[in-house]
Amino acid sequence: MLGLILTEKEMKEIEYLLKREMDEILFDFEDERIDYVVKRSMEERYAILFQLFSRITAPVNRVQYIRKRVHK
């Protein structure tokens, strides 16, 4: 287990970066030109980013980024 000490400003910056990256991935999920294999790796990346995001933000802010399982 690792620990990290951040200032409030650094925390907001990390939150902003995570939101931006997750928004971009969500946008790319809608693109039908992207192959299933690529979308699968995007889902794995999104899961990791969401875990990080959920550790630094309040539950109210997480709701809009909860992803329903679409691809199986």
Side-chain angles (χ1 to χ4, degrees):
M1 177 176 270
L2 298 174
L4 182 65
I5 298 175
L6 301 170
T7 65
E8 190 67 31
K9 187 175 181 179
E10 292 168 333
M11 187 73 88
K12 293 293 181 185
E13 183 66 25
I14 290 173
E15 182 179 337
Y16 170 76
L17 291 172
L18 289 171
K19 281 182 177 180
R20 199 171 94 191
E21 186 67 24
M22 289 190 302
D23 283 337
E24 193 170 317
I25 291 173
L26 288 174
F27 178 75
D28 287 343
F29 277 134
E30 303 301 320
D31 192 351
E32 295 176 3
R33 297 174 295 171
I34 297 176
D35 190 39
Y36 172 76
V37 176
V38 176
K39 284 188 179 184
R40 178 74 180 144
S41 66
M42 287 168 49
E43 286 196 34
E44 292 173 7
R45 179 174 170 85
Y46 188 86
I48 293 169
L49 292 172
F50 184 77
Q51 286 176 344
L52 288 170
F53 183 68
S54 63
R55 290 181 186 197
I56 64 167
T57 189
V60 174
N61 298 336
R62 286 182 231 155
V63 173
Q64 74 185 60
Y65 290 100
I66 294 175
R67 181 158 159 71
K68 295 178 179 69
R69 299 262 179 200
V70 177
H71 304 347
K72 275 289 179 180

